Amino acid sequence: MKRVFVGCGVFILVVIAVATIGGSFYMLDFSLAPDPNRRDTAFCYSELYEKYPETRQWIDSLNRIDALRDTLLTMPSGERHHALYIRNGGNKTALILHGWRDCSIDFLFLARIYEKELGYDVVLPDLHAHGYSDGDRIQMGWLDRIDALHWLTVFKTDTMAVHGVSMGAATAMMLSAEAMPEGIKDIRFIEDCGYTSVWDEFAGELKNQFGLPEFPLMYTTSLLCKISSGWSFGEASAINQVRKCSYPMLFIHGDSDSFVPTEMVYRLYDAKPSKKKLWVTRGTKHAESYKDYRAEYVKQVKDFLIE
């Protein structure tokens, strides 16, 4: 009888281990696999014009004077990454960072603010494993911060702004603690609905979507990510980077955001030592502050960049 109990115990442990390993691979693929249609530019432009019809005429005008260009750059990792580059001709440049499974085209509505309203050159990279950039696993901003720093170095001007939304916002915050390229006299960061850390974001979604606790899947999946991609969920922390940031930062978040819970922005804001501003939009869901408050959004960005 004792052998039967031991055998059953071993069998149960094996089943749990197999289920955990299988669940870890599924969670990693669910979270970090690129959009299979990531290079469908026609669809991206179609969505952009549907959401923000004012961008169509502006983009047409840029194309007529060859001011909207595809740019390729070799990253420190050796990968080839793509960006859209808008040349305005001044000495101010904005780096705009897109969200999870988005691409540079999706955020041309923000580029319009910087080019048309503020006179900035604009660089819109496709982050690793997005759009036309190399990569087979999304990096959730952590290693992307190194690529973003390289874009800043190559396109540096006296005045620069880094503006990210969702995963792009987390990327901007993760970047903000790094030493900036020499020659930049003024750099400011705008984060719109970014998460505190990859661990916090994934743990929240694991509970919300699947009703599962952090243990054991978060731990095993994070370990698998470390082995396969070189980074863990715990180290990919925007809040830890923000604590070390000495540059001005504007925090934007919707108060009805359930995907990246609104409480995260208050923790991020409190963690920032100084030179900071917070704007929480009423009734706004995830990544929709501009859509809901267009005029005020532009004013908030303008005021932050010139103050």
Side-chain angles (χ1 to χ4, degrees):
M1 182 65 69
K2 183 178 180 180
R3 289 181 180 178
V4 172
F5 281 121
V6 170
C8 288
V10 170
F11 176 76
I12 291 171
L13 288 174
V14 170
V15 169
I16 292 173
V18 170
T20 300
I21 293 170
S24 299
F25 277 99
Y26 174 80
M27 180 179 173
L28 197 68
D29 187 65
F30 180 84
S31 305
L32 304 183
D35 182 349
N37 300 312
R38 70 197 229 200
R39 294 179 177 173
D40 188 348
T41 56
F43 177 76
C44 292
Y45 274 111
S46 175
E47 274 204 325
L48 175 72
Y49 296 149
E50 182 179 347
K51 292 179 182 176
Y52 308 103
E54 69 275 12
T55 60
R56 183 189 291 269
Q57 185 177 356
W58 171 70
I59 289 171
D60 287 343
S61 69
L62 292 176
N63 285 328
R64 279 195 299 270
I65 59 173
D66 196 28
L68 176 60
R69 301 180 180 181
D70 291 291
T71 302
L72 291 172
L73 198 62
T74 301
M75 293 293 111
S77 63
E79 293 180 342
R80 294 279 282 172
H81 282 200
H82 168 266
L84 292 175
Y85 174 54
I86 301 170
R87 177 65 175 164
N88 188 286
N91 202 25
K92 300 183 293 184
T93 303
L95 183 73
I96 296 179
L97 303 172
H98 63 72
W100 181 74
R101 287 187 177 166
D102 292 325
C103 70
S104 54
I105 295 169
D106 297 326
F107 285 83
L108 280 165
F109 70 92
L110 283 184
R112 181 175 175 271
I113 298 173
Y114 283 92
E115 192 276 337
K116 188 176 178 65
E117 305 276 346
L118 295 165
Y120 277 62
D121 292 354
V122 187
V123 182
L124 301 101
D126 286 330
L127 297 176
H128 175 93
H130 291 81
Y132 279 94
S133 291
D134 290 345
D136 57 6
R137 287 284 181 187
I138 295 171
Q139 298 179 147
M140 299 304 297
W142 185 239
L143 299 184
D144 296 309
R145 81 192 194 283
I146 306 301
D147 298 332
L149 185 61
H150 195 55
W151 285 109
L152 282 181
T153 302
V154 172
F155 287 90
K156 69 180 177 181
T157 49
D158 285 350
T159 300
M160 302 200 77
V162 180
H163 190 146
V165 178
S166 193
M167 188 188 80
T171 307
M173 289 186 284
M174 292 169 182
L175 167 65
S176 70
E178 305 298 325
M180 294 297 115
E182 291 185 11
I184 301 175
K185 296 177 181 178
D186 182 12
I187 185 165
R188 303 182 183 215
F189 291 82
I190 300 171
E191 78 84 20
D192 183 342
C193 64
Y195 38 81
T196 49
S197 69
V198 174
W199 184 282
D200 291 346
E201 179 62 18
F202 283 0
E205 285 302 293
L206 186 65
K207 180 179 180 180
N208 292 339
Q209 294 198 41
F210 303 101
L212 295 173
E214 293 183 13
F215 184 85
L217 271 180
M218 281 294 297
Y219 294 85
T220 52
T221 310
S222 179
L223 176 60
L224 184 60
C225 185
K226 182 70 172 181
I227 293 169
S228 62
S229 299
W231 60 278
S232 67
F233 298 166
E235 70 183 297
S237 173
I239 197 167
N240 286 345
Q241 294 290 91
V242 163
R243 289 190 178 104
K244 298 179 283 185
C245 173
S246 60
Y247 305 104
M249 186 172 292
L250 171 61
F251 298 83
I252 301 172
H253 217 105
D255 72 358
S256 297
D257 192 340
S258 58
F259 186 65
V260 177
T262 308
E263 60 87 16
M264 287 190 179
V265 77
Y266 296 108
R267 290 163 55 197
L268 289 162
Y269 181 78
D270 288 343
K272 178 75 170 68
S274 62
K275 301 177 183 177
K276 57 186 178 179
K277 185 177 180 182
L278 173 64
W279 180 44
V280 177
T281 53
R282 185 172 300 176
T284 299
K285 297 180 180 179
H286 183 65
E288 294 186 352
S289 289
Y290 176 75
K291 183 175 76 69
D292 291 349
Y293 296 90
R294 297 192 187 192
E296 182 63 19
Y297 196 105
V298 174
K299 183 179 185 304
Q300 289 283 342
V301 170
K302 281 184 176 181
D303 290 349
F304 173 71
L305 293 177
I306 64 176
E307 64 185 14

